[in-house]
Amino acid sequence: MTPDEARTILGTTLREIVPDADLATLPADADLREAYELDSLDVVELVERLSARVGFRIEDTDADELRTVDHATAFLVRGGRPT
């Protein structure tokens, strides 16, 4: 998966949870939880929906890897594997 594909998947998935989420206007290092007021249930939902969409299991313990657009994109491109 390319970074652009990962970012598109992240944006699409976020909009399912926060309909007005727009990654184009968000700084790449902004905290997604703060920017979109995601609570813990929203984060669990994001992890589950991303897992279903990307074809590999994202564990709840990986949620910190999804904190910013940059981190989430890199995580998805690596296929969830550690750096």
Side-chain angles (χ1 to χ4, degrees):
M1 168 181 326
T2 69
D4 286 340
E5 291 169 332
R7 189 178 174 94
T8 298
I9 289 170
L10 177 62
T12 299
T13 306
L14 265 172
R15 280 190 300 282
E16 292 172 352
I17 299 165
V18 182
D20 61 344
D22 183 5
L23 296 184
T25 62
L26 188 70
D29 62 347
D31 188 306
L32 293 171
R33 294 172 193 186
E34 290 178 17
Y36 298 119
E37 298 178 0
L38 301 175
D39 62 23
S40 58
L41 293 176
D42 293 329
V43 173
V44 169
E45 185 72 16
L46 178 63
V47 167
E48 289 177 3
R49 288 176 184 244
L50 280 173
S51 281
R53 192 164 264 138
V54 299
F56 62 87
R57 179 77 186 136
I58 301 172
E59 301 296 332
D60 292 338
T61 55
D62 295 326
D64 278 345
E65 295 286 336
L66 306 174
R67 187 162 291 276
T68 70
V69 174
D70 279 350
H71 282 108
T73 299
F75 178 80
L76 296 173
V77 168
R78 310 193 291 274
R81 294 180 297 277
T83 54

